[in-house]
Amino acid sequence: MRERCAAQRRGDGLLWLTPARRAGAEGGWDGYMHLSVYNAWTAGLLAATAHGHPGLCGRPPEGLGRLAWRAAPGRVEADEQAGLLRLRQGRTDLLLSTRGQPVQGYSRRQADLRAAAGLALHLERAGRPLLPAPPRLPAEALRACPCRAGWTPLVACGRRLYGLARLEAVAWERTDRGLRLKGEGRPVALCRAEAQRGGQRLLEGLDWRLLGGALGRRRGLRPEPLAGHGWRLTLEWDALAGSLRYA
């Protein structure tokens, strides 16, 4: 953590938000958060660690052990509950998302692909990041320029936009040349449906003001799938060729 933060320091003393060391959207950070917020959070975390906060440095609470990385043969680490794979091989560090995770805020207009399924979240060789961060963009921006979705395939059906954000079945294996991830699932809605009736709009208003958006977050846990559609993916990392293959 200390070495990473030292490498992320800018000329003005603040820290770049991502390893890309770029400002704004080019760096892959959220448009709704400010640099000072992330830096304050990082500073607090480091200070709590340095002062021996029991929640960070002491004995883990009962049951927390199941969340830890599980060492696997061939230097692959897997967190099955979070849906993450990490491969450290020589000077290469690769982090893959497997089944996908719920987004922080399930918006009506913003498509959040940062925790989508079956994608490479991070690839670094010799300390140099090689992949852009997955985006969070307005759905209309993705319709106008689908390539901005990066690794995530998109499907437009009527006024709704669907994507490979979740997988229902995943499997992975080490290969002679690297790592292979396979999965199956259905396209799911990247945004909540617009309220069509007055009662629905009233309920959404009450949810926002009185329930803190709890109902909206609950819908984000199980986004609506696109009926009658499904897909399979294979993601392969070839360490010898230094390439990622997505099919």
Side-chain angles (χ1 to χ4, degrees):
M1 172 75 80
R2 181 184 59 79
E3 292 175 355
R4 169 63 76 186
C5 288
Q8 295 293 109
R9 188 173 296 278
R10 307 191 324 176
D12 58 7
L14 295 177
L15 305 175
W16 288 112
L17 298 182
T18 72
R21 299 186 181 94
R22 297 236 186 339
E26 291 184 358
W29 59 278
D30 310 329
Y32 56 86
M33 293 291 276
H34 296 282
L35 186 64
S36 57
V37 176
Y38 281 106
N39 277 263
W41 180 86
T42 303
L45 177 62
L46 292 175
T49 304
H51 288 82
H53 189 286
L56 298 172
C57 304
R59 184 176 179 180
E62 190 68 26
L64 192 60
R66 63 188 176 87
L67 299 178
W69 287 99
R70 174 176 58 81
R75 300 179 63 82
V76 176
E77 297 170 302
D79 187 329
E80 312 248 345
Q81 183 165 351
L84 297 172
L85 288 179
R86 186 178 190 181
L87 172 62
R88 299 178 187 176
Q89 198 169 18
R91 305 183 71 187
T92 300
D93 194 356
L94 173 66
L95 183 65
L96 300 180
S97 170
T98 59
R99 56 179 172 76
Q101 300 178 7
V103 299
Q104 184 178 9
Y106 193 41
S107 169
R108 288 197 301 266
R109 297 179 178 86
Q110 296 285 329
D112 195 338
L113 304 177
R114 296 172 298 178
L119 57 79
L121 295 174
H122 181 65
L123 175 60
E124 181 178 302
R125 301 198 77 177
R128 180 185 179 188
L130 301 177
L131 291 178
R136 180 182 187 270
L137 294 170
E140 290 307 314
L142 292 179
R143 279 179 173 271
C145 187
C147 65
R148 298 182 69 182
W151 295 82
T152 303
L154 302 176
V155 177
C157 183
R159 299 180 60 184
R160 305 289 301 277
L161 192 64
Y162 298 80
L164 181 55
R166 301 291 181 86
L167 286 174
E168 298 163 12
V170 294
W172 63 273
E173 61 181 347
R174 277 304 307 266
T175 66
D176 294 338
R177 301 176 65 94
L179 180 67
R180 180 184 297 117
L181 171 69
K182 293 185 176 183
E184 296 183 4
R186 293 176 292 174
V188 295
L190 298 179
C191 301
R192 294 189 350 234
E194 294 280 353
Q196 300 296 325
R197 298 190 294 272
Q200 292 176 330
R201 289 191 289 269
L202 177 61
L203 181 60
E204 286 193 356
L206 293 174
D207 178 41
W208 176 258
R209 291 172 175 79
L210 300 180
L211 302 179
L215 298 180
R217 290 194 299 273
R218 187 179 303 171
R219 285 194 289 270
L221 294 176
R222 295 179 178 84
E224 179 185 349
L226 181 58
H229 292 73
W231 44 32
R232 297 176 180 175
L233 73 84
T234 300
L235 182 61
E236 289 190 89
W237 162 246
D238 188 327
L240 298 179
S243 64
L244 275 168
R245 177 177 174 271
Y246 194 105

